[in-house]
Amino acid sequence: MTALIETRQWIYARRPAGRVGREHYDLVTTSLPADIAQGEVMLEARWFSVDPYMRIQQAERDTYDVPHPLGIAQRGGVVGQVIRSRDARFAIGDWVAGYTGWQTSAVAHGDALTRLDPDEAPVTTALGVLGMPGRTAWFGLMEAGKPKPGETLVVSGAAGAVGSLVVQFGLKAGCRVVGIAGGEAKCRYLIERLGAHAAIDYKAHRDVTALTAAVRIACPRGVDVYFDNVGGDITDVVIAQIARRARVVICGQISQYDGGLDVPPQGPRLLAHMLYQRASIQGILARDYTPRMDEMRRIVAPWVKAGEVVLHETIVEGFEQLPEALGSLSQGANLGKLLVRA
Ligand code: NAP
């Protein structure tokens, strides 16, 4: 009889209408055959990445992808250690990054895994600055934002994973950087730790007129590059302040994910501002830049090693907490990258 390895899985079971939580998942224990095929690797998960795209894929409609199927383990990025290997590239104990989702042990083909060197960089950076969020921030800003020295860059969701990297990459590009985030502590972090020139606490400016005044004060010459992670009212306000030939980078719309993707709210018409300022707007998607990962790492990894670029990690303890952790993204519970430790 084949020996079995026990694994726990969070099965995505019910589509959320609003905020996602435990009630949309089933926690099950199942078994994996201990015998793996040639070319396969079995890993034990140590770190789970919790990302807003997971909530996008829970929309009923197609987005940039088809909806996440019900009845399977939640997909997602993982860092783990090899416990069995039939691929010569991986030895037992090696650290790897893959996309094996919310399960404590998993089997993957070796081609779908990246071996990590913990002496080069902490392994969690594979889920953050040297992983998907880093790729999004780097290529989104540099290729679509095209920042130039002296320009004003406004970043929404600025204290999150992607946003806090865009702030730092914008500073390296010589921009005057203004971050928008929720709460005084996050705004202080943006200025004191990351070096942003100004920070706007959108929660302290509940109405659009007050937020508009704050953006005008922070950006007296208008906004040359707007890197948008959140959408909604914040974006309505910033786009009305764009400068001539501004570039608007649409990276995310997290303010709309808890239900708004299926039933979008009616916002103000923004296209006139694009016309007046001869501006351009571009949506960007991390997966389009996956083949250029090494290019990003060659530039960014030395900055990380030298401590010139940082990505704070908010760590939630325990596999059991994964659904709540995902729901907490829309509450702004995280500073920097949100991770769950197995
Ligand atoms: P994150 O910013 O680390 O976490 C989400 C943050 O969004 C929260 O901490 C919260 O910060 C803010 N937020 C939540 N609800 C909000 C609301 N209603 N209004 C304003 N801010 C709100 O997550 P991330 O991984 O870096 O992702 C940021 C954005 O980029 C998301 O929209 C995501 O979908 C997008 N993204 C896109 C790609 C791509 O390929 N295009 C790849 C990665 C991420 P506050 O406390 O400041 O509110």
Side-chain angles (χ1 to χ4, degrees):
M1 214 174 74
T2 322
L4 297 172
I5 301 275
E6 204 170 79
T7 181
R8 286 190 301 153
Q9 301 178 325
W10 278 110
I11 303 292
Y12 173 50
R14 289 162 286 279
R15 285 197 195 294
R19 184 177 167 190
V20 64
R22 189 172 289 250
E23 63 277 22
H24 303 107
Y25 289 89
D26 293 328
L27 182 56
V28 302
T29 301
T30 180
S31 299
L32 301 170
D35 295 336
I36 54 174
Q38 188 58 40
E40 286 184 337
V41 171
M42 186 181 284
L43 62 91
E44 223 166 66
R46 304 278 181 244
W47 295 95
F48 296 92
S49 183
V50 180
D51 296 281
Y53 74 79
M54 294 169 166
R55 184 64 189 84
I56 297 182
Q57 293 181 358
Q58 292 171 335
E60 259 180 66
R61 300 183 189 175
D62 286 359
T63 51
Y64 55 84
D65 211 334
V66 296
H68 191 298
L70 294 167
I72 64 166
Q74 171 66 54
R75 293 168 174 159
V78 168
V79 161
Q81 280 186 288
V82 173
I83 54 171
R84 276 186 167 60
S85 176
R86 294 197 62 198
D87 180 324
R89 292 171 294 178
F90 301 95
I92 289 174
D94 279 356
W95 285 94
V96 289
Y99 195 64
T100 51
W102 290 5
Q103 44 187 338
T104 51
S105 298
V107 176
H109 196 278
D111 289 346
L113 298 174
T114 307
R115 211 167 75 81
L116 304 174
D117 180 353
D119 295 328
E120 266 303 300
V123 291
T124 51
T125 57
L127 302 174
V129 56
L130 301 179
M132 185 277 284
R135 181 169 85 234
T136 308
W138 178 253
F139 289 111
L141 178 66
M142 303 312 284
E143 304 251 316
K146 300 184 179 68
K148 296 187 202 62
E151 287 191 327
T152 298
L153 162 68
V154 172
V155 186
S156 62
V162 173
S164 60
L165 292 173
V166 174
V167 165
Q168 295 172 84
F169 295 155
L171 290 169
K172 287 219 167 267
C175 291
R176 187 168 174 281
V177 181
V178 178
I180 304 180
E184 229 183 288
K186 286 189 179 183
C187 287
R188 240 193 344 269
Y189 175 80
L190 289 174
I191 293 175
E192 291 173 8
R193 181 72 180 96
L194 300 189
H197 295 89
I200 299 171
D201 173 6
Y202 73 89
K203 289 185 176 166
H205 297 92
R206 273 286 180 203
D207 84 37
V208 164
T209 313
L211 188 57
T212 300
V215 173
R216 282 203 182 125
I217 290 168
C219 309
R221 287 180 289 135
V223 177
D224 299 298
V225 182
Y226 175 43
F227 194 103
D228 185 21
N229 285 311
V230 308
D233 286 350
I234 293 173
T235 292
D236 298 345
V237 164
V238 177
I239 289 190
Q241 303 305 322
I242 53 175
R244 190 66 50 88
R245 306 211 185 281
R247 283 83 66 203
V248 175
V249 184
I250 305 296
C251 172
Q253 300 282 287
I254 195 167
S255 69
Q256 309 301 304
Y257 296 171
D258 283 358
L261 293 177
D262 290 321
V263 194
Q266 184 93 50
R269 309 279 170 183
L270 296 172
L271 297 181
H273 296 289
M274 305 301 295
L275 167 67
Y276 303 154
Q277 302 305 339
R278 290 74 131 184
S280 59
I281 188 161
Q282 186 180 336
I284 58 111
L285 209 50
R287 61 175 63 175
D288 297 343
Y289 297 105
T290 305
R292 295 174 64 186
M293 204 62 194
D294 286 348
E295 180 187 333
M296 182 278 282
R297 284 205 195 100
R298 264 198 305 278
I299 299 166
V300 176
W303 291 340
V304 174
K305 207 163 187 174
E308 289 173 38
V309 166
V310 294
L311 179 55
H312 182 85
E313 292 173 347
T314 297
I315 295 169
V316 172
E317 295 292 344
F319 178 76
E320 299 73 20
Q321 305 306 319
L322 274 162
E324 263 83 19
L326 178 57
S328 80
L329 282 171
S330 65
Q331 310 302 301
N334 61 305
L335 177 68
K337 176 69 194 139
L338 181 59
L339 294 168
V340 170
R341 192 185 341 232

